[in-house]
Amino acid sequence: MTNPNLDSTRIAALPAARVVCADSVCRALLATAVPPQQRRDSVLRRVPVLGRRGELPPDLRRAVLAVDAADEAVPLARMDDVDVDAVAAWIAGRFPAATYPAAVLGSPHGAAVHLAAACRGAWLPTSFTLTAPWPGGSAGDWVSAMAWGTRLAQRLMDRNPAITVRQVHDPVLRGALCGATVSLQVRWRTLPPAYRDFLERRIAAGGSSVLVRDLRTWPVLDGPPGYGFQIGTPTSGWTAAGYRTDHPAFRRLLHEIAAGRWPGPGPAVGPGYAETSGEPTIDAELHRAAAATGRAHHRVYYTDPQALSAGVADMYRAWWRSAGGGRHALVHTARMTDPWRSIRGRMVPYWCESSSRAVVDAVQLWLAGSEPFDRISVLPDPPGSPDDSVATLTHWRAVAAFAARDGRVDELVAGRYPLLPPAAAHATRYPVDVTEPAGPPAPLPVAEALRHLGACNGLSGLVIASA
């Protein structure tokens, strides 16, 4: 199918920084994947839409935030000007060194970025989030959201045939903003030219590629070829069964965000890989690219995101222990992360995918099974919506209480929790009282990092394999 709007007179592609959703976890991870002196993106200083206008009455605040969300989304008139190859070039261009010892590709997971930083590698996500305005939308009307999203996704795929689009309608994570914009996860079917060039020319001799891929499944309603629709996402900490009006917590959430009527469960749908998984064809292409260049290719698969977080945290602790460190754990969440802060402060980072109670339970299990830390610093990311499954500050303080000497939850975040997420830049300064040893530590060799991760190979929800 050819879009009649696409012709030789089309204006220049929309800038990539305008395409990739500024509030997404992927965007925050991209911003912190390079050392502070190389950062050029102001997105870290930006307060997300759900963190604004806390002084307004609820009804007025929802209306104002809806306008903000639509204004900051990709304009409808520019949807045909989204060039995903330009987005990939923008991502690869964020890493300025001539060569890198490794490239970590795949799903947007904070521990993957920590892995890349430890090895001084680049992080190249294989998907990204784009939001677009939904005029006259309603957070509760997922049927109409799908109809609108299908039209927009088709425009994207007409312009960019090498992608698939997964729409995610999630009142748990996005609250009332679901009625103002639609959220589209754009996933590359094949390596974009900028990524292929990076792997061929900018991975040093003897270097590696590492694919980190989320293998969780979720009910997916199919549409046109290349398009799928999800109600909810596993990244929320909920199960798919929770997104039903016979679930009391979900009914309360819909009422709190004034979602209106929520249609019935809809047609029965089978499970597919969730939106963060990306396309499986990328894996085979990475293997072929590695074989062609004589470089190693490794795979890290997870069905439990907290298993990967635990594995990478244990890897960091073993790394720091050889230098007499590893006594300070930094538990941080979603956008609130900075791997280079962990490296400079010789901290052991444990990344939480969400602020759900299930994730906090996983953190506590990891801490209970680990050698005690002298200090634990906890940095939650306020979710921004009134969700019964969100961990309370009491839960987060229970995490900090595992410290042998000093455990604390960040005061600024505690004052805004759970409804007002702050700018992600706060993570680049937290904790403020960490003494940074002189000089950066030597990079962790990729083989050694994977050896440490390989020790977790039997851990439920985590598999490490080499080509």
Side-chain angles (χ1 to χ4, degrees):
M1 177 180 176
T2 301
N3 191 320
N5 293 325
L6 303 183
D7 56 33
S8 59
T9 63
R10 186 179 55 223
I11 60 177
L14 192 65
R18 188 75 168 83
V19 172
V20 181
C21 176
D23 284 355
S24 65
V25 170
C26 181
R27 183 67 180 274
L29 295 178
L30 274 173
T32 58
V34 295
Q37 64 271 20
Q38 297 175 2
R39 294 173 188 170
R40 304 184 301 274
D41 197 337
S42 62
V43 73
L44 291 175
R45 300 191 297 272
R46 174 186 175 280
V47 175
V49 173
L50 285 174
R52 304 174 192 171
R53 320 284 184 169
E55 75 283 0
L56 297 179
D59 290 346
L60 178 58
R61 181 171 182 261
R62 279 194 295 269
V64 172
L65 295 190
V67 172
D68 284 356
D71 285 347
E72 296 183 16
V74 173
L76 296 177
R78 300 297 308 275
M79 288 294 290
D80 297 320
D81 302 312
V82 172
D83 183 346
V84 299
D85 286 346
V87 172
W90 174 74
I91 292 172
R94 301 174 75 85
F95 298 91
T99 61
Y100 288 83
V104 178
L105 302 94
S107 301
H109 192 295
V113 184
H114 281 291
L115 172 63
C119 301
R120 301 302 190 271
W123 181 65
L124 307 175
T126 53
S127 67
F128 63 89
T129 304
L130 174 157
T131 60
W134 180 21
S138 167
D141 190 359
W142 63 265
V143 173
S144 296
M146 181 179 178
W148 180 249
T150 300
R151 294 168 57 189
L152 299 181
Q154 191 64 65
R155 290 171 65 183
L156 287 172
M157 293 187 292
D158 287 348
R159 172 68 164 86
N160 303 275
I163 63 168
T164 63
V165 177
R166 177 69 56 79
Q167 183 177 353
V168 180
H169 188 78
D170 189 5
V172 174
L173 281 184
R174 302 192 67 231
L177 299 188
C178 283
T181 58
V182 293
S183 179
L184 307 175
Q185 192 74 9
V186 178
R187 316 194 308 180
W188 281 285
R189 295 179 188 267
T190 60
L191 288 172
Y195 283 17
R196 286 198 302 269
D197 182 74
F198 194 102
L199 294 171
E200 291 171 3
R201 300 173 182 271
R202 299 183 60 196
I203 301 300
S208 309
S209 58
V210 182
L211 176 68
V212 178
R213 186 166 175 237
D214 184 352
L215 295 185
R216 286 176 291 180
T217 59
W218 196 262
V220 178
L221 187 59
D222 289 329
Y227 169 85
F229 180 85
Q230 289 177 208
I231 295 176
T233 167
T235 65
S236 67
W238 284 45
T239 64
Y243 288 84
R244 296 170 57 103
T245 52
D246 55 3
H247 188 260
F250 190 59
R251 285 202 309 272
R252 285 192 292 271
L253 171 67
L254 294 176
H255 175 74
E256 288 290 333
I257 65 174
R261 191 180 73 85
W262 182 267
V269 293
Y273 287 122
E275 82 284 0
T276 52
S277 179
E279 292 298 328
T281 49
I282 291 284
D283 194 348
E285 191 173 358
L286 283 170
H287 178 71
R288 291 192 297 270
T293 58
R295 297 187 179 97
H297 175 55
H298 309 276
R299 302 176 177 94
V300 179
Y301 299 135
Y302 64 92
T303 56
D304 178 357
Q306 300 315 127
L308 177 58
S309 294
V312 170
D314 289 342
M315 178 199 82
Y316 265 78
R317 193 169 203 183
W319 183 26
W320 295 144
R321 185 176 283 120
S322 63
R327 304 300 302 169
H328 183 179
L330 174 59
V331 177
H332 50 177
T333 310
R335 301 172 310 106
M336 305 302 289
T337 183
D338 184 353
W340 297 95
R341 180 66 171 150
S342 299
I343 288 173
R344 296 194 311 273
R346 308 296 198 271
M347 293 179 281
V348 175
Y350 183 104
W351 185 77
C352 300
E353 184 176 59
S354 72
S355 294
S356 69
R357 294 184 188 182
V359 167
V360 171
D361 288 345
V363 181
Q364 292 180 323
L365 285 172
W366 173 69
L367 288 169
S370 301
E371 179 185 341
F373 289 91
D374 290 342
R375 180 175 177 184
I376 300 176
S377 300
V378 181
L379 187 61
D381 189 4
S385 59
D387 171 7
D388 285 2
S389 72
V390 168
T392 65
L393 285 175
T394 299
H395 292 108
W396 289 112
R397 287 172 178 139
V399 170
F402 276 87
R405 297 181 183 174
D406 180 17
R408 64 185 74 173
V409 176
D410 176 61
E411 292 182 0
L412 181 145
V413 166
R416 298 174 63 91
Y417 197 87
L419 295 180
L420 295 173
H426 184 60
T428 67
R429 302 182 294 271
Y430 180 78
V432 296
D433 58 345
V434 169
T435 300
E436 299 181 3
L444 183 64
V446 176
E448 185 177 346
L450 292 171
R451 179 175 60 81
H452 286 303
L453 275 181
C456 305
N457 221 352
L459 193 65
S460 176
L462 183 64
V463 174
I464 294 91
S466 297

